């Protein structure tokens, strides 16, 4: 792009395309999953093995030898596990399938002399070898926590499938064992021991070998994940951060989300010229960027191309959350991706802000009431705060967080008071109580990051739950009123998802579809701050700037949405530290800080 940004339309519109053809990895993955399901069914359900489908199922890979049920289960489960990696074109999944399928073909021919069974394995193997260049995706970021997750999930799946195996032979079961006996039998069987349930004939051996196969697969896959080399998620290096800050110094005023690119749990790709960059995080196989690219608009296409190359190399699903209209146009034009309006960002122009007028009456009355209650506000740069006060603010911010995990990704910096963030603003509310709280007279905190030289973007809002309501309104007003002395002319507040649908749906004349959509959003607001965040932002009479999600295909939207919820902290699949341990850690830090401060004063 040599001529800058083209003429902007009123909105970035979703590009309508025809259905995308199924790729070779997708077809191979579907075939492997189908064969795997039939193998599992053939190994679990005795009626299946004696039905008309048995004629077809018994020639599938895995249905050979004297232990057909156990081998069928093993092959089926392994093929199902490989299907996802094959669909994403992963090189390691391809290697495993290339080893598994010939082994199945040889076993079919040697043990059962089944030419048809061998041909089915070869029929799946041929496209794998012919299109091996399409299975070149690099591994995802991973840690050994995945081994624990695999053990839990595979263990639960094996327990459920084992209960089915134990229970599908009612006519051969001796007696009427209870559910507890059956669960005990499954647990014993997974470890290779005989349980309390008994059967007539050879059924006991069939069940025992099937349960043993499930336990073996669970153990082997867990051991493999535990001892394979780690590929930790990429993080910003010190050099990356220096380069990003240099780009923000020159072009930071273009996007209010620009400073959030400095989150240290993001990775970055730069354009060949180094004049633009895209930061991202990989979540559940989704390469998730946020906001617009950083740097010179002329160099954006180079950074976007590097981003797409990285996504292709790892077979990640590319997506962008919360880009501006200009960013959406460049992304869709350069990559062929689609864009969809996601919501609106509330931006307040400081020169136009005033508490006067009927529209601001509620905010004005609330602020006056809180000020009469004895609260006072202070707005300062981070670099102007003493280390002792800054540490109290950090600890209070962590302690007043309403959730176990830190939320935020696209509009959150993830830290407070870092020495490198001296230009950030902190607005605090204070009230002198008769009995000082854990953090003295501190009652609420607002943190803003720079938006170029003349702007600020809201990062986080935290308050003492025991403080009076209205702390956030008080501090936003204080920050807006103090903004001119810091040279700030515009302030970005929160992002309101689906704001236009909420606003149009409550107006007179809204159609039934729009009203139904608004009703669904209001219902979802019980768990997610959708309507409440929109109404909170609307109090300050902002102008609304649309934000967009950029995606590859409509079928990717659920996956992108789930990954975004993970990145934002609404869904947490990790194992957090127990809350009582976190509280003890925070209390210890507060105590240590208090002792250190007392020693300094005494000296």
């Amino acid at each position: 792009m040599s001529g800058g940004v083209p003429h902007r339309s009123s909105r970035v519109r979703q590009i309508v395309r025809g259905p995308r053809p199924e790729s070779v990895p997708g077809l191979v993955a579907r075939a492997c999953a189908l064969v795997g399901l039939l193998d599992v069914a053939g190994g679990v359900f005795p009626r299946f093995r004696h039905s008309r489908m048995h004629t077809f199922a018994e020639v599938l890979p895995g249905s050979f030898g004297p232990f057909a049920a156990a081998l069928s289960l093993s092959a089926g489960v392994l093929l199902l596990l490989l299907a996802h990696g094959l669909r994403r074109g992963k090189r390691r999944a391809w290697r495993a399938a290339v080893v598994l399928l010939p082994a199945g073909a040889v076993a079919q021919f040697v043990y059962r002399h089944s030419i048809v069974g061998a041909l089915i394995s070869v029929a799946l193997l041929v496209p794998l070898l012919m299109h091996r260049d399409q299975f070149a995706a690099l591994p995802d970021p991973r840690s050994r926590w995945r081994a624990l997750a695999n053990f839990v999930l595979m263990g639960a799946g094996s327990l459920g499938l084992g209960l089915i195996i134990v229970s599908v032979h009612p006519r051969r079961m001796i007696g009427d064992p209870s559910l507890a006996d059956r669960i005990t039998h499954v647990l014993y069987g997974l470890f290779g021991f005989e349980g309390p349930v008994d059967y007539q004939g050879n059924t006991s051996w069939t069940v025992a070998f099937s349960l043993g196969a499930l336990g073996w697969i669970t153990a082997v896959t867990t051991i493999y994940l535990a001892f394979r080399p780690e590929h930790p998620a990429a993080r910003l290096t010190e050099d990356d951060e220096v380069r990003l800050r240099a780009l923000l110094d020159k072009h930071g005023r273009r996007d209010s989300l620009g400073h959030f690119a400095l989150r240290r749990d993001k990775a970055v790709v730069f354009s060949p010229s180094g004049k633009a960059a895209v930061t991202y995080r990989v979540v559940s196989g989704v390469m998730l960027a946020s906001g617009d690219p950083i740097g010179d608009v002329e160099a954006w296409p180079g950074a976007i191309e590097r981003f797409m190359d990285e996504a292709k190399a790892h077979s990640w699903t590319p997506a962008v959350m919360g880009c501006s209209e200009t960013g959406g146009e460049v992304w869709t034009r350069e990559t062929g991706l689609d864009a969809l309006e996601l919501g609106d960002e509330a931006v307040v122009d400081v020169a136009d802000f005033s508490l006067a007028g009927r529209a601001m009456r509620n905010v004005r009355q609330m602020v006056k009431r809180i000020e009469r209650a004895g609260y006072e506000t202070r707005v300062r740069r981070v670099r102007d705060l003493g280390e002792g006060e800054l540490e109290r603010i950090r600890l209070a911010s962590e302690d007043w967080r309403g959730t176990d995990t830190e939320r935020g990704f696209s509009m959150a910096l993830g830290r407070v008071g870092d020495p490198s963030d001296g230009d950030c603003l902190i607005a605090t509310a204070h009230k002198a109580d008769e009995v000082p709280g854990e953090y003295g007279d501190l009652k609420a905190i607002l943190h803003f990051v720079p938006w170029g030289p003349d702007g600020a973007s809201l990062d986080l809002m935290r308050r003492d739950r025991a403080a009076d309501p209205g702390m956030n309104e008080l501090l936003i007003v204080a920050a807006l009123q103090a903004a001119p002395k810091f040279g700030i002319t515009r302030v970005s507040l929160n992002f309101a998802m689906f704001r236009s649908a909420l606003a149009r749906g409550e107006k007179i004349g809204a159609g039934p579809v729009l009203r139904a959509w608004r009703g669904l959003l209001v219902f979802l607001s019980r768990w997610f701050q959708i309507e409440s965040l929109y109404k909170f932002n609307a109090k300050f009479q902002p102008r609304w700037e649309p934000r967009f999600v950029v995606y590859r295909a409509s079928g990717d939207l659920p996956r992108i949405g789930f990954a975004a919820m993970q990145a934002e902290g609404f869904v947490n699949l990790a194992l957090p530290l127990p809350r009582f341990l976190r509280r003890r850690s925070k209390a210890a830090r507060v105590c240590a800080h208090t002792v250190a401060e007392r020693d300094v004063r005494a000296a």
Side-chain angles (χ1 to χ4, degrees):
M1 184 175 72
S2 59
V5 180
H7 177 70
R8 295 170 61 184
S9 60
S10 59
R11 283 288 187 273
V12 177
R13 300 185 182 276
Q14 180 177 349
I15 301 173
V16 180
R17 298 187 178 89
R20 300 173 187 264
E22 185 76 40
S23 63
V24 171
L27 291 173
V28 171
R30 288 176 184 271
C32 280
L34 177 60
V35 172
L37 286 173
L38 291 174
D39 278 345
V40 171
V44 172
F45 299 103
R47 292 184 180 180
F48 180 85
R49 294 197 296 274
H50 296 288
S51 67
R52 293 181 180 179
M53 284 297 295
H54 176 61
T55 306
F56 176 69
E58 69 177 352
V59 300
L60 293 174
S63 300
F64 53 80
F67 312 120
L71 293 171
S72 182
L73 272 175
S74 301
V77 171
L78 289 174
L79 286 173
L80 286 172
L81 292 175
L82 290 175
H84 178 67
L86 289 172
R87 184 178 65 82
R88 296 181 59 198
K90 291 295 184 180
R91 171 62 67 177
R92 291 192 175 184
W94 178 86
R95 290 172 179 168
V98 166
V99 172
L100 180 63
L101 290 174
V106 171
Q108 285 281 347
F109 184 77
V110 171
Y111 286 97
R112 298 188 67 256
H113 308 290
S114 172
I115 297 177
V116 178
L119 288 177
I120 290 177
S121 293
V122 172
L124 280 175
L125 182 63
V126 168
L128 281 174
L129 296 176
M130 289 180 59
H131 301 279
R132 59 183 177 274
D133 58 323
Q134 297 191 33
F135 297 89
L138 300 175
D140 290 348
R142 60 179 183 246
S143 69
R144 291 191 172 89
W145 280 106
R146 190 168 180 181
L148 179 60
N150 178 84
F151 178 76
V152 173
L153 295 176
M154 286 289 293
S158 298
L159 180 60
L161 195 55
L163 282 173
I164 297 175
I165 293 172
V166 170
S167 303
V168 292
H169 306 275
R171 295 182 180 179
R172 292 182 173 272
M173 189 179 293
I174 297 176
D176 186 19
S178 64
L179 178 61
D181 289 336
R182 299 184 188 196
I183 293 176
T184 303
H185 191 84
V186 172
L187 293 176
Y188 274 62
L190 292 176
F191 288 95
F193 300 104
E194 185 177 352
V197 180
D198 201 4
Y199 301 88
Q200 299 174 358
N202 294 326
T203 304
S204 292
W205 289 101
T206 301
V207 172
F209 279 114
S210 298
L211 294 176
L214 289 175
W216 177 81
I217 292 174
T218 301
V220 168
T221 54
T222 301
I223 292 171
Y224 166 73
L225 293 173
F227 288 96
R228 68 177 179 172
E230 287 190 88
H231 285 260
R235 295 287 187 269
L236 283 185
T237 65
E238 292 184 7
D239 180 63
D240 291 336
E241 189 169 338
V242 169
R243 296 175 67 184
L244 284 174
R245 289 185 184 276
L247 292 178
L248 288 171
D249 288 341
K250 294 181 180 179
H251 308 281
R253 75 181 319 274
R254 179 177 293 279
D255 185 16
S256 62
L257 273 62
H259 198 85
F260 299 121
L262 298 174
R263 283 183 65 105
R264 288 164 186 159
D265 58 358
K266 290 183 178 181
V268 62
V269 289
F270 290 91
S271 65
S273 65
K275 294 182 179 180
V278 175
T279 58
Y280 66 91
R281 187 197 299 174
V282 178
V283 184
S284 298
V286 177
M287 190 176 182
L288 200 63
S290 60
D292 292 343
I294 306 300
D296 188 355
V297 178
E298 301 261 350
W300 283 7
I304 290 173
E305 183 179 0
R306 288 279 180 89
F307 177 89
M308 297 301 293
D309 289 344
E310 191 77 6
K312 182 179 180 181
H314 292 84
S315 190
W316 292 330
T317 300
V320 185
M321 296 294 296
C323 65
S324 68
E325 187 173 340
T326 300
E329 288 180 351
V330 177
W331 273 101
T332 55
R333 188 188 64 233
E334 296 295 330
T335 63
L337 300 178
D338 298 342
L340 193 64
E341 186 171 340
L342 185 63
D344 295 270
E345 176 188 8
V347 178
V348 178
D349 293 312
V350 174
D352 298 333
F353 177 77
S354 174
L355 287 176
R358 182 179 179 84
M360 298 297 295
R361 182 179 61 181
N362 290 337
V363 176
R364 182 173 64 248
Q365 290 176 347
M366 178 174 291
V367 170
K368 294 297 183 184
R369 176 179 58 80
I370 296 173
E371 289 177 342
R372 287 195 299 268
Y375 288 89
E376 63 175 27
T377 59
R378 303 168 193 167
V379 182
R380 292 157 291 175
R381 297 279 188 189
V382 166
R383 60 171 172 263
D384 297 329
L385 291 170
E387 183 57 35
E389 183 177 7
L390 195 55
E391 181 64 15
R392 278 196 297 272
I393 290 174
R394 289 194 196 103
L395 295 174
S397 174
E398 181 180 353
D399 195 25
W400 295 342
R401 188 174 61 214
T403 59
D404 290 341
T405 57
E406 184 76 47
R407 287 186 175 176
F409 167 68
S410 56
M411 295 186 72
L413 188 60
R415 59 183 183 265
V416 175
D418 191 277
S420 61
D421 299 321
D423 287 337
C424 292
L425 280 179
I426 289 185
T428 54
H430 304 263
K431 182 182 180 183
D433 295 328
E434 295 181 0
V435 180
E438 185 177 3
Y439 305 105
D441 62 351
L442 184 64
K443 299 300 178 183
I445 305 162
L446 258 62
H447 187 256
F448 297 84
V449 301
W451 175 11
D454 60 347
S457 187
L458 181 60
D459 175 23
L460 61 82
M461 301 185 294
R462 302 278 166 79
R463 68 179 183 87
D464 187 345
R465 299 299 175 186
D468 293 338
M471 290 292 102
N472 293 330
E473 289 89 340
L474 173 69
L475 288 180
I476 287 178
V477 170
L480 290 171
Q481 290 176 339
K485 73 177 184 180
F486 296 104
I488 293 174
T489 61
R490 53 191 178 154
V491 176
S492 169
L493 300 180
N494 296 294
F495 172 74
M497 291 186 64
F498 310 114
R499 182 208 65 88
S500 57
L502 289 168
R504 293 197 301 266
E506 63 184 357
K507 290 183 178 179
I508 297 176
V513 175
L514 192 55
R515 288 185 179 274
W517 175 226
R518 180 183 180 276
L520 176 61
L521 293 176
V522 172
F523 174 74
L524 293 175
S525 295
R526 299 180 180 181
W527 297 277
F528 306 101
Q529 293 181 340
I530 300 176
E531 184 185 29
S532 61
L533 204 54
Y534 156 58
K535 290 186 174 181
F536 176 83
N537 291 332
K539 292 179 181 180
F540 304 96
Q541 303 298 306
R543 55 182 169 89
W544 299 99
E545 295 289 339
R547 290 281 174 173
F548 299 85
V549 56
V550 177
Y551 59 98
R552 183 171 55 189
S554 299
D556 292 335
L557 285 175
R559 186 179 180 188
I560 293 170
F562 184 71
M565 292 179 69
Q566 286 181 264
E568 297 288 351
F570 291 102
V571 176
N572 183 23
L573 301 182
L575 297 176
L577 191 67
R579 193 169 183 85
F580 73 93
L581 291 178
R582 292 197 303 274
R583 286 193 176 278
R584 183 181 300 174
S585 176
K586 286 185 287 188
R589 282 183 290 162
V590 171
C591 180
H593 168 71
T594 303
V595 171
E597 188 176 32
R598 184 181 60 204
D599 292 343
V600 169
R601 289 178 179 176

